[in-house]
Amino acid sequence: MFQTVVMSLNEGFVKSLEIFALTLLGAIPLGLIMSFGSMSSFKPLSGFVRTVVWIFRGSPLMIQLLLIYYAPGMLGYNIWGTGSSGRFAAAMAAFILNYACYFSEIFRGGIESIPRGQKEAGQVLGMTGTQIFFKVTLLQVIKRIVPPMGNEIITLVKDTSLVRVISVYEVMWNGQAFIKSSGLIWPLFFTAVYYLAFNGLLTILFGWLEKKLDYFKV
Amino acid sequence: MALLEVTDLHKNFDQLQVLKGISFSLEKGQTLSIIGPSGGGKTTLLRCLNFLEMPSAGRIAINDDGGSHVLFDGSAGRELKAAQIRENRLHFGLVFQSFNLFPQYTALQNVSLAPRLRAKGKEDRKAQLRAIEEKSVELLRRVGLGDKLDYYPHQLSGGQQQRVAIARALALTPDVLFFDEPTSALDPELTGEVLNVIRQLARENMTMVVVTHEMGFAQAVSDQVLFIDGGVIVEQGPPEQVLGAPTEERTRQFLRGFGKG
């Protein structure tokens, strides 16, 4: 029985990891673009971005999943189709948007925390704006945002369990299924081991990254 | 013709007039010191000359070996393009009060970064990079940091950091080097090493503009002193006159605060 449970949980956890990886892949670039939007001196743009951030950070991710999956159909636009791939796509849309909002605020804070003198030093040396961003600012920003990003990414690992509400079969769904099918409760509790192990790995990774960037001070 | 000619330079921030018509010229190889109370417009003047702020009106011109270049002309009525501003800045170097070294780069990398970026895409890039490396090492030796090439800024004292910043500003061989209160952020025992480097540059006939509160230094090193207050030049002339025997009451008042005059 143990083997059956582990096989099923493994399968579910692969789905969890897929959600995790795709969210990062989508939300990091989108968050960076949004952070530039929220820092724009063009008021309508920064106002729009900040409103979006407020909505996605201010309401539960679970509601966002439900709304993004069900609302289009209720309005007569069945964009997600019926199958499991549609549910998965809806889940990804909700996760990427939600996490891009959190990331954009971390990026904005990181970029704005770099002293203005750094940019000006680059400017008087005849560097272009792009050169200043990539050669001067970026690494300093990365160093500053490693701890808050670590927090957010570890939260993301656990948040993947929320996709259950629109029936995406991730590890916790599979664990819970054993209650009905075999009268077993321990597989559900056992899923925690998966989250713990993976987050342990991430903690080590972030610790390593922090150390790697320890050679300079900002 | 003077190397640097600044004519009737104005700068407003909305309603606030910070510079109300500054004119001066600087001969090649000379050192000009700018003194005056805080908020009088000294730093704004340096920032305008380096295009960190755009002047509101006036004219800035450089006459170097390559001929006469008008860097800014307020009466021309068109805005400078980003590329033009970058070209303009190459005539000048600026050393900041707070050093502003790039923390993730070593002393040597701080000095060589901008020249390396300019060599990008050039045909003889490899040879250029070698020359840049050699020149950067040479510059750091000149400021007495030949043994600190691979140190990161946080491993250096304030005085050493400021000397790296001077080497960095010299790396692009500017026509004029500006200093914005280069020792104000330093502990008193560290100001000497930075002032010595500036003195040495003066002896080597580097053209310099130094905003400073070090009156003894200004007296010793400058060919010309400007006293700026309220956005105008109150008094200008050789240091013996402006610092030694000022004719304006405002200058005398200011210098009394430093135990002089």
Side-chain angles (χ1 to χ4, degrees), chain A residues 115-129 131 134-140 214-218, chain B residues 47 50 52-53 86 89-90 92-94 96 100-105 110 113-114 117-118 120 152 154 168-169 172:
Chain A
R116 196 172 59 150
Q118 289 290 306
K119 185 181 167 192
E120 290 181 348
Q123 285 177 323
V124 296
L125 290 166
M127 290 163 69
T128 65
Q131 287 172 338
F134 285 105
K135 297 287 178 181
V136 176
T137 317
L138 186 61
L139 194 63
Q140 297 181 45
D214 213 25
Y215 72 92
F216 70 94
K217 303 260 179 293
V218 287
Chain B
R47 291 176 62 82
N50 284 280
L52 291 174
E53 307 286 352
R86 276 201 305 281
R89 283 178 177 143
L90 292 178
F92 303 135
L94 175 60
F96 297 87
N100 296 342
L101 291 182
F102 305 132
Q104 72 267 44
Y105 294 124
N110 262 281
L113 177 67
L117 289 172
R118 293 197 70 77
K120 213 169 242 179
Y152 289 93
H154 76 273
R168 180 175 70 173
L172 290 167

Side-chain angles (χ1 to χ4, degrees), chain A residues 92-103:
Chain A
M92 287 324 307
F95 267 71
I96 288 173
L97 283 169
N98 181 279
Y99 271 86
C101 288
Y102 279 98
F103 289 167

